[in-house]
Amino acid sequence: MKKTKLIMLAASLSIFASCEKEIETPGIAEVQKLETPAMEFRPLENNSFNIKLPDNTDSKVKSKIGDYNISLFSAEYITANGSEELGTTIFFTNRGNKMLSSDFVPGLAYDGTSDISYYIDKNRPSNDIDVKVSTAAIGRAMDSWRNVNCSDIGLYEIPYDEVEEGEELQEYGVFAYFYGIFSGNDFGGAPLYIADVYHGGWLGAEFFDYLTERGSEFILGVTLTYTFTDEDGNLVDTDNNGKADVAFREIYYNDTFTWNDGRTYDIETIALHEAGHGLSQAHFGEAFRTNANGKIHFSPRAVMNATYSGIQTAVEKTDEAGHCANWAEWPNK
Ligand SMILES: [Zn+2]
């Protein structure tokens, strides 16, 4: 009896499903548009602290920003395809003043220039791939953004600190450092500025699970934004554009996934995406899931899509438009 009922139910459901399919998407595999996930707000207490300026910081820079502290502003992450999760943004700061985005300000920088610097750290290599290969892939991603010619952001590399024998290794990574203390882990790092955009390398499950629940299962990479704060801990907006002034950004990759140069998760693709965040871009594109295989695709497909959908090493038109909107006036805005 029970079985018969179930069969009838299944039959009527399948009729219903086939009708719906005919009406909505005749002749096409079932595709479902996915809601953009809501931004997450996770205000941190005492989220304003001092970090060390580089030893060679000149006195003009010191007088301009020496009194500022920094705060962790946001984390933007990209997800693996088939994980059922779309990438999103977590905000950590007090939103009293409603600032929900952030960008760099010409000259307001620890390196004292309006040029944007980056650093590729080799101290947290991926388990899967030689650090030379991953460094080259990240370098190519930075070149791709450098080759977008709408502005003069002066993107340049701070060379990696090669350690001579007998010298002590200087670790970098502000987020890794504080996050390690906070979570009771050792992610290396130091409370020290090295570049405007810092590629911090690969970390394991405990790093990403702590960032958000089960995060290690779906986050491929994350970009953290640090903003300047005044002595009272308030966000700083010296150019009055409604955006919090960025001190620097840091990027970390999830080593619980398999990373390969061109297969599985492609380093250059994710580095290009994260560096897009590093250069102030947000996620872009509408997400659709093909129900038959659970795969997510985006329209339009772009570097700044919130989920990985295969190799994507070219800056697309929409990515370029987003980049140029942020930087076209630089450094004269
Ligand atoms: Zn992202």
Side-chain angles (χ1 to χ4, degrees), residues 212-226:
T212 196
E213 204 183 336
R214 298 186 300 104
S216 67
E217 294 171 24
F218 52 84
I219 298 174
L220 290 172
V222 64
T223 302
L224 292 311
T225 295
Y226 281 93

Side-chain angles (χ1 to χ4, degrees), residues 76-81 134 137-142 145 197 199 201-202 208 218-223 251-255 257-278 283 301-314:
E76 294 167 292
Y77 60 78
I78 186 171
T79 54
N81 211 337
S134 61
I138 295 169
R140 288 195 300 277
M142 298 313 287
W145 286 118
V197 178
H199 287 271
W202 278 258
F208 292 91
F218 52 84
I219 298 174
L220 290 172
V222 64
T223 302
I251 294 163
Y252 298 91
Y253 305 92
N254 182 355
D255 213 8
F257 285 96
T258 305
W259 293 83
N260 274 303
D261 208 28
R263 286 175 297 127
T264 321
Y265 289 103
D266 178 55
I267 294 171
E268 183 177 347
T269 299
I270 304 298
L272 188 64
H273 176 93
E274 298 308 330
H277 289 310
H283 286 147
R301 188 167 189 235
V303 168
M304 295 317 294
N305 293 158
T307 297
Y308 184 87
S309 59
I311 292 174
Q312 173 79 44
T313 54

Side-chain angles (χ1 to χ4, degrees), residues 28-328:
I28 305 170
E30 266 191 86
V31 171
Q32 183 189 347
K33 184 170 183 290
L34 301 174
E35 291 293 318
T36 304
M39 297 170 185
E40 195 182 314
F41 295 95
R42 211 191 294 164
L44 295 176
E45 278 182 49
N46 304 318
N47 185 21
S48 182
F49 47 88
N50 211 255
I51 60 163
K52 263 167 62 191
L53 295 176
D55 291 339
N56 59 355
T57 305
D58 83 37
S59 54
K60 258 200 215 148
V61 176
K62 271 188 183 150
S63 70
K64 196 164 186 184
I65 60 168
D67 291 337
Y68 286 148
N69 289 333
I70 60 165
S71 64
L72 178 60
F73 182 76
S74 61
E76 294 167 292
Y77 60 78
I78 186 171
T79 54
N81 211 337
S83 65
E84 302 262 316
E85 300 278 346
L86 293 180
T88 189
T89 306
I90 306 169
F91 289 96
F92 299 99
T93 58
N94 180 345
R95 297 165 53 228
N97 42 14
K98 303 274 190 285
M99 278 191 276
L100 275 185
S101 54
S102 58
D103 68 357
F104 289 102
V105 177
L108 190 75
Y110 284 118
D111 66 4
T113 75
S114 291
D115 291 342
I116 302 299
S117 57
Y118 67 94
Y119 184 83
I120 306 172
D121 204 332
K122 299 181 189 175
N123 292 335
R124 298 184 195 87
S126 150
N127 288 323
D128 305 317
I129 201 154
D130 188 283
V131 72
K132 281 191 196 120
V133 177
S134 61
T135 301
I138 295 169
R140 288 195 300 277
M142 298 313 287
D143 289 343
S144 294
W145 286 118
R146 188 188 286 111
N147 291 337
V148 179
N149 274 325
C150 53
S151 63
D152 187 14
I153 71 172
L155 195 62
Y156 73 102
E157 182 170 10
I158 308 275
Y160 175 72
D161 270 355
E162 298 290 351
V163 182
E164 307 285 325
E165 225 182 288
E167 273 183 352
E168 205 179 318
L169 173 78
Q170 173 59 59
E171 293 188 50
Y172 295 107
V174 172
F175 187 72
Y177 176 78
F178 284 112
Y179 203 44
I181 293 172
F182 198 60
S183 66
N185 289 286
D186 182 5
F187 303 127
L192 190 65
Y193 168 89
I194 176 68
D196 298 332
V197 178
Y198 169 75
H199 287 271
W202 278 258
L203 283 165
E206 54 282 2
F207 185 84
F208 292 91
D209 284 340
Y210 204 68
L211 193 64
T212 196
E213 204 183 336
R214 298 186 300 104
S216 67
E217 294 171 24
F218 52 84
I219 298 174
L220 290 172
V222 64
T223 302
L224 292 311
T225 295
Y226 281 93
T227 43
F228 288 113
T229 51
D230 64 20
E231 55 196 4
D232 299 321
N234 299 311
L235 293 170
V236 170
D237 180 17
T238 56
D239 57 348
N240 293 308
N241 65 351
K243 296 180 177 185
D245 297 352
V246 171
F248 54 87
R249 293 196 169 98
E250 297 193 338
I251 294 163
Y252 298 91
Y253 305 92
N254 182 355
D255 213 8
T256 59
F257 285 96
T258 305
W259 293 83
N260 274 303
D261 208 28
R263 286 175 297 127
T264 321
Y265 289 103
D266 178 55
I267 294 171
E268 183 177 347
T269 299
I270 304 298
L272 188 64
H273 176 93
E274 298 308 330
H277 289 310
L279 299 173
S280 301
Q281 280 218 67
H283 286 147
F284 187 83
E286 290 186 326
F288 299 86
R289 182 198 288 118
T290 302
N291 290 330
N293 62 11
K295 291 283 178 193
I296 293 168
H297 72 273
F298 282 81
S299 178
R301 188 167 189 235
V303 168
M304 295 317 294
N305 293 158
T307 297
Y308 184 87
S309 59
I311 292 174
Q312 173 79 44
T313 54
V315 172
E316 298 291 342
K317 279 213 167 65
T318 50
D319 303 309
E320 190 172 322
H323 181 79
C324 294
N326 283 329
W327 295 98

